[in-house]
């Protein structure tokens, strides 16, 4: 007598087989960039695990399906786009760095009426192993009731948006700067989907931003705006700006240019809105930009990237604090500063900002932050 699988089990096996075929196709299609299949396989592993465990709460849920969902225009978004797939092809335990945790906590602490969503694009979807506790830094950020950790599937996240067909042509998967350009892609797509406030993971939020009128970004230099802090309304003019950003991203995408698809996009769109390439004029004449606000460098980028060490040097403490006294956010330029550790109790600007604005993460970090 033939053994008959229960209907539910048979369905699960069928779905897993289909997913395995899909990932094989993506490996062939994306062979020019060895890292892109990591995102696809990670998504499939997460889906398989969710099917097998039948909704185990230990796994991160998909942002498009889980509740609560982002509140349009009233949410803060971070994206984690590194991709580290374990050798045994198992879902890794969720980990964040101390500085990522600080960014998330500072946003949640200073903006209690906003929901903070951290969206993971890579295959890191298990909050903890079996019955063990999450990483202390993860516990620190989850101690805030307005923080929500979610996964996203790049393909389904783009589905139903202007980026759905563009994504299929493979230009993103062949990018020389894959992780950065996926981050660029997702920040504009998220603002199109939900509006709200996008923040880079290497910031510290210093004060409440809930009452700042929507539709703004900040200047990084005399020639470019930056894409590390952007806010767009979910409807109306803000949604039109987000749509313009997606069109620009598609039309001008360059996988060989690191900054073209991030700060380049918002700079070009703002130039069209404001009718000028003069960044100073964008700031001086608000009517010119029809309600789109361009903050001066002091708001989000008071310390330029070339001077990133000022955050870490004790002799620069007072000067840096004075420079950032009117800032909403400080940006610590992780691309350059990530390898420079801070010992607990250090007398520098970054340590001081962390201790005051992300105290739980700072404490959970241990000896070095």
């Amino acid at each position: 007598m033939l053994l008959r699988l229960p209907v539910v089990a048979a369905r699960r096996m069928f779905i897993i087989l289909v997913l395995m075929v899909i990932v094989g196709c993506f490996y062939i299609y994306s062979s020019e960039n060895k890292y892109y299949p990591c995102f696809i396989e990670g998504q499939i592993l997460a889906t398989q695990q969710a099917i097998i465990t039948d909704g185990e709460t230990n796994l991160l849920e998909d942002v498009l399906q889980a509740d609560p969902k982002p509140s349009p225009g009233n949410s803060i978004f971070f994206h984690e786009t590194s991709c580290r797939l374990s050798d045994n092809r198992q879902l890794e335990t969720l980990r964040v760095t101390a500085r990522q945790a600080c960014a998330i906590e500072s946003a949640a602490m200073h903006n209690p009426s906003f929901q903070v969503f951290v969206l993971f694009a890579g295959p890191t979807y298990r909050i903890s192993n079996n019955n063990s506790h999450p990483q202390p830094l993860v516990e620190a950020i989850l101690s805030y009731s307005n923080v929500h950790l979610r996964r996203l599937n790049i393909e389904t996240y783009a589905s139903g948006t202007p980026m759905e067909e563009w994504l299929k042509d493979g230009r993103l998967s062949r990018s020389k700067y894959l992780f950065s350009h996926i981050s660029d892609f997702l920040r504009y797509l998220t603002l199109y989907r939900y509006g709200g406030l996008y923040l880079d993971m290497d910031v510290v939020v210093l004060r409440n931003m809930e009452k700042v009128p929507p539709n703004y970004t900040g200047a990084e230099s005399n020639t470019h705006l930056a894409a590390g802090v952007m806010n767009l309304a979910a409807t109306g003019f803000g949604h039109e700006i987000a749509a313009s950003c997606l069109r620009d991203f598609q039309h001008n995408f360059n996988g060989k240019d690191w900054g073209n698809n991030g700060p380049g996009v918002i700079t070009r769109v703002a130039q069209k809105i404001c009718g000028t390439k003069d960044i100073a004029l964008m700031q001086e004449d608000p009517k010119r930009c029809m309600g789109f606000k361009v903050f001066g460098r002091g708001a989000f980028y008071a310390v330029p990237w070339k001077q990133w060490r000022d955050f870490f040097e004790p002799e620069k403490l007072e000067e840096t604090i004075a420079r950032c006294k009117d800032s909403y956010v400080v940006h610590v330029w992780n691309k350059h500063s990530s390898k420079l550790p801070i010992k607990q109790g250090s007398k520098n600007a970054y340590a001081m900002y962390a201790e005051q604005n992300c105290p739980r993460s700072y404490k959970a970090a241990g000896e070095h932050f």
Side-chain angles (χ1 to χ4, degrees):
M1 183 175 180
L2 293 175
L3 293 174
R4 303 184 73 121
L5 289 172
V7 174
V8 173
R11 286 176 179 171
R12 288 176 179 172
M13 289 184 65
F14 175 74
I15 293 171
I16 290 172
L17 287 171
V18 171
L19 291 170
M20 290 172 67
V21 172
I22 292 172
V23 76
C25 293
F26 268 106
Y27 266 113
I28 296 169
Y29 181 69
S30 304
S31 59
E32 292 184 48
N33 193 315
K34 64 180 180 179
Y35 295 109
Y36 192 71
C38 174
F39 288 97
I40 304 304
E41 184 169 350
Q43 298 293 347
I44 290 172
L45 282 172
T47 303
Q48 289 175 345
Q49 195 69 31
I51 293 169
I52 292 169
T53 57
D54 197 21
E56 179 188 332
T57 57
N58 195 32
L59 302 176
L60 290 192
E61 297 181 275
D62 191 299
V63 64
L64 298 179
Q65 301 173 7
D67 290 319
K69 293 179 172 60
S71 175
N74 294 314
S75 297
I76 298 174
F77 296 95
F78 294 92
H79 295 137
E80 215 296 326
T81 58
S82 61
C83 198
R84 298 177 297 275
L85 197 61
S86 64
D87 293 337
N88 61 359
R89 292 302 191 263
Q90 296 295 314
L91 294 183
E92 293 187 354
T93 302
L94 175 67
R95 301 187 69 82
V96 295
T97 69
R99 296 178 187 182
Q100 289 175 332
C102 183
I104 296 161
E105 180 182 352
S106 65
M109 185 178 80
H110 286 298
N111 300 278
S113 296
F114 278 9
Q115 300 302 302
V116 179
F117 286 84
V118 188
L119 308 183
F120 291 81
T124 308
Y125 303 120
R126 190 184 296 282
I127 297 175
S128 62
N129 277 326
N130 301 321
N131 296 320
S132 64
H133 287 287
Q135 177 197 20
L137 287 165
V138 173
E139 285 191 310
I141 58 178
L142 288 178
S143 67
Y144 290 84
S145 61
N146 59 334
V147 171
H148 310 282
L149 309 183
R150 300 283 188 264
R151 63 182 173 93
L152 66 80
N153 181 308
I154 295 173
E155 305 292 326
T156 57
Y157 200 59
S159 180
T161 76
M163 304 306 286
E164 180 177 6
E165 292 303 315
W166 180 86
L167 188 61
K168 293 176 182 177
D169 75 11
R171 276 184 285 173
L172 181 63
S173 69
R174 296 189 293 271
S175 166
K176 180 180 177 182
Y177 303 99
L178 182 67
F179 299 129
S180 292
H181 290 166
I182 285 180
S183 177
D184 294 334
F185 174 80
L186 290 175
R187 72 188 67 190
Y188 292 114
L189 188 57
T190 291
L191 290 174
Y192 177 84
R193 275 189 167 278
Y194 302 111
L197 175 60
Y198 166 82
L199 295 173
D200 274 352
M201 292 278 262
D202 56 349
V203 303
V204 182
V205 180
L206 305 182
R207 51 195 172 114
N208 184 280
M209 300 179 72
E210 295 170 351
K211 301 301 182 183
V212 182
N215 302 327
Y216 61 82
T217 191
E220 182 183 340
S221 68
N222 294 328
T223 57
H224 281 82
L225 306 182
V229 180
M230 295 187 292
N231 182 295
L232 295 175
T235 58
F237 186 43
H239 189 65
E240 292 172 15
I241 295 172
S244 295
C245 289
L246 293 186
R247 286 193 295 269
D248 184 278
F249 190 97
Q250 293 182 59
H251 182 71
N252 294 303
F253 182 81
N254 183 350
K256 296 180 180 180
D257 187 329
W258 179 82
N260 183 73
N261 314 307
V265 169
I266 194 62
T267 298
R268 290 187 294 269
V269 169
Q271 288 171 348
K272 290 181 181 178
I273 293 171
C274 304
T276 182
K277 292 186 176 181
D278 189 328
I279 302 296
L281 197 56
M282 292 181 189
Q283 299 169 54
E284 294 166 5
D285 184 5
K287 293 182 181 179
R288 171 182 284 277
C289 297
M290 300 183 290
F292 182 63
K293 170 77 171 174
V294 176
F295 281 94
R297 279 178 282 183
F300 313 127
Y301 311 99
V303 176
W305 72 266
K306 290 184 179 179
Q307 295 172 256
W308 64 267
R309 287 184 179 275
D310 288 3
F311 284 115
F312 298 84
E313 296 177 353
E315 61 270 22
K316 293 284 188 177
L317 173 60
E318 292 185 9
E319 178 185 334
T320 303
I321 298 301
R323 196 177 211 175
C324 302
K325 64 182 177 63
D326 296 321
S327 297
Y328 286 96
V329 168
V330 291
H331 198 293
V332 297
W333 310 109
N334 184 66
K335 184 180 178 184
H336 308 283
S337 67
S338 62
K339 302 267 191 248
L340 189 61
I342 295 176
K343 193 170 183 178
Q344 285 276 358
S346 297
K347 301 298 182 183
N348 58 50
Y350 195 6
M352 192 203 77
Y353 285 134
E355 191 171 12
Q356 293 177 355
N357 298 283
C358 58
R360 299 177 195 177
S361 300
Y362 189 65
K363 182 178 180 181
E367 185 180 357
H368 290 93
F369 175 77

